[in-house]
Amino acid sequence: MPVLGFGTYALEEVPKSKAWEATKVAIDVGFRHIDSAYVYQNEEEVGKALREKMADGTVKREDIFYTTKIWSTFLRPELVRPALERSLKKLGLDYVDLFIMHFPLPMKSGDEILPKDASGEVIFDTVDLRDTWEALEKCKDAGLTKSIGVSSFNHKQLEMILSKPGLKYKPVCNQVECHPYLNQSKLLEFCKSKDIVLVAYSALGSHRHPNWVEKDSPYVLEDPTLKAIAKKHNRSPGQVALRYQVQRGVVVLAKSFSEKRIKDNFQIFDFELTPEDMKAIDGLNRNFRYAKLLFAVDHPYYPFSEEY
């Protein structure tokens, strides 16, 4: 898994064609790890970009590391493989490199992304995630995905999978929100001890989607410490935030649909942060989470009530 990945999520108002354009730019710039998901509803566009870049000889299929995620409405074991097959069909690919559970929060199955009752509350489902995991293992055995993992799991939820009787494959990764204001040091230590890769999303802070993020949230990239370190290295705060993750052994996703920023985000391999820089950035941690998933706070599997 390349240590730097290109994230393709965008707010609903962004035209889906932007994902197609941006993915092509990302591949041209040098990104080989592409991260998407069923719920982003852009896999047709991302797949088209990948296929065009293969057709013009820029990359071969084996050069690309592509991740998709199974959404919370498909976590019943019998729905897992059909969900992956649907993504593959949209992508026009025979397999994905990584297939992960998007959230540990089963919701009522069906085609609605956020199924709600008459009073506007999200309708959850009761599913044993260990059974879901078995269905992911079967997808790997069937050759539909090379690897399987999870996202937004806390350490107890990871333990639940790891200690499952008859476990065939352990999760290769746990993709979580991770940036200088939420550096996940305890979860990172736990994952390293279990040989699970921590993958960082919202590594540059986050968008301000009203469903997911409070609008008065702080801007990581405006942080004075980050800006000072960036200035010292003649880099942008975003490049420093990405480099920080790579140096601590975290695989990091960078999301942008701007050609200039996509290029900038890839330029993180020709400079190094000093131990003092790393320590200063570690010191910015305030356990601040952008995506709190407050609509699911009463769900028995709500992942963020644990310290890590």
Side-chain angles (χ1 to χ4, degrees), residues 134-192:
E134 262 177 48
L136 266 81
E137 291 178 324
K138 287 178 180 153
C139 289
K140 176 172 158 63
D141 281 336
L144 300 177
T145 181
K146 300 267 189 196
S147 296
I148 49 177
V150 296
S151 177
S152 294
F153 274 47
N154 62 40
H155 79 285
K156 286 191 173 166
Q157 292 168 326
L158 288 169
E159 278 291 11
M160 174 180 76
I161 302 288
L162 292 170
S163 61
K164 181 181 105 57
L167 182 75
K168 194 165 183 185
Y169 307 114
K170 66 180 197 184
V172 296
C173 73
N174 185 20
Q175 186 181 127
V176 297
E177 179 179 334
C178 185
H179 43 75
Y181 288 169
L182 179 71
N183 71 22
Q184 301 277 17
S185 54
K186 286 189 173 171
L187 188 59
L188 175 58
E189 205 176 311
F190 175 84
C191 286
K192 282 184 173 174

Side-chain angles (χ1 to χ4, degrees), residues 276-293:
E276 296 75 35
D277 294 335
M278 293 296 288
K279 202 171 167 205
I281 301 171
D282 281 339
L284 298 177
N285 183 56
R286 46 172 105 166
N287 293 325
F288 175 81
R289 193 181 292 283
Y290 286 98
K292 297 184 178 75
L293 309 182

Side-chain angles (χ1 to χ4, degrees), residues 3-291:
V3 297
L4 177 61
F6 179 68
T8 62
Y9 174 73
L11 301 176
E12 285 94 357
E13 59 267 23
V14 176
K16 298 297 176 202
S17 60
K18 290 278 184 216
W20 166 64
E21 292 163 13
T23 302
K24 288 201 295 183
V25 169
I27 291 170
D28 284 337
V29 161
F31 280 94
R32 295 295 176 261
H33 172 179
I34 311 289
D35 179 272
S36 190
Y38 168 81
V39 80
Y40 302 168
Q41 299 184 301
N42 63 9
E43 290 197 292
E44 281 173 32
E45 290 76 13
V46 172
K48 182 172 176 239
L50 295 177
R51 293 194 315 276
E52 285 178 13
K53 286 285 127 196
M54 288 180 229
D56 74 8
T58 308
V59 285
K60 299 193 205 49
R61 172 65 187 94
E62 57 270 25
D63 299 331
I64 294 288
F65 187 97
Y66 180 83
T67 301
T68 192
K69 312 181 191 83
I70 184 163
W71 184 238
S72 296
T73 52
F74 306 116
L75 294 182
R76 292 191 166 213
E78 68 275 13
L79 301 177
V80 170
R81 180 167 174 165
L84 177 52
E85 287 171 337
R86 185 159 43 187
S87 277
L88 288 169
K89 192 175 176 199
K90 285 184 173 179
L91 290 159
L93 299 178
D94 299 328
Y95 69 91
V96 296
D97 298 274
L98 179 60
F99 184 42
I100 62 184
M101 257 191 259
H102 206 138
F103 288 125
L105 297 168
M107 296 178 198
K108 178 183 170 236
S109 49
D111 289 325
E112 267 185 286
I113 281 171
L114 279 181
K116 291 180 179 176
D117 62 19
S119 62
E121 297 295 310
V122 173
I123 309 168
F124 294 110
D125 198 2
T126 313
V127 179
D128 187 330
L129 294 177
R130 290 168 295 194
D131 296 338
T132 311
W133 186 253
E134 262 177 48
L136 266 81
E137 291 178 324
K138 287 178 180 153
C139 289
K140 176 172 158 63
D141 281 336
L144 300 177
T145 181
K146 300 267 189 196
S147 296
I148 49 177
V150 296
S151 177
S152 294
F153 274 47
N154 62 40
H155 79 285
K156 286 191 173 166
Q157 292 168 326
L158 288 169
E159 278 291 11
M160 174 180 76
I161 302 288
L162 292 170
S163 61
K164 181 181 105 57
L167 182 75
K168 194 165 183 185
Y169 307 114
K170 66 180 197 184
V172 296
C173 73
N174 185 20
Q175 186 181 127
V176 297
E177 179 179 334
C178 185
H179 43 75
Y181 288 169
L182 179 71
N183 71 22
Q184 301 277 17
S185 54
K186 286 189 173 171
L187 188 59
L188 175 58
E189 205 176 311
F190 175 84
C191 286
K192 282 184 173 174
S193 76
K194 304 290 182 189
D195 208 23
I196 293 170
V197 175
L198 197 77
V199 180
Y201 72 75
S202 294
L204 302 170
S206 183
H207 55 80
R208 297 291 181 276
H209 189 295
N211 278 358
W212 306 94
V213 178
E214 289 153 336
K215 63 177 182 296
D216 57 353
S217 301
Y219 286 88
V220 170
L221 299 184
E222 296 291 318
D223 189 273
T225 303
L226 215 53
K227 285 168 96 167
I229 293 170
K231 193 174 177 192
K232 182 178 82 174
H233 289 278
N234 201 15
R235 295 286 166 159
S236 71
Q239 288 169 322
V240 170
L242 296 173
R243 179 73 206 182
Y244 167 69
Q245 301 293 3
V246 169
Q247 280 186 222
R248 59 204 287 261
V250 171
V251 170
V252 64
L253 302 174
K255 183 186 72 196
S256 175
F257 282 6
S258 137
E259 187 165 344
K260 183 189 180 309
R261 281 199 299 273
I262 294 171
K263 285 177 178 165
D264 287 350
N265 289 343
F266 198 72
Q267 302 303 316
I268 63 164
F269 299 109
D270 54 356
F271 76 105
E272 198 162 338
L273 298 171
T274 66
E276 296 75 35
D277 294 335
M278 293 296 288
K279 202 171 167 205
I281 301 171
D282 281 339
L284 298 177
N285 183 56
R286 46 172 105 166
N287 293 325
F288 175 81
R289 193 181 292 283
Y290 286 98

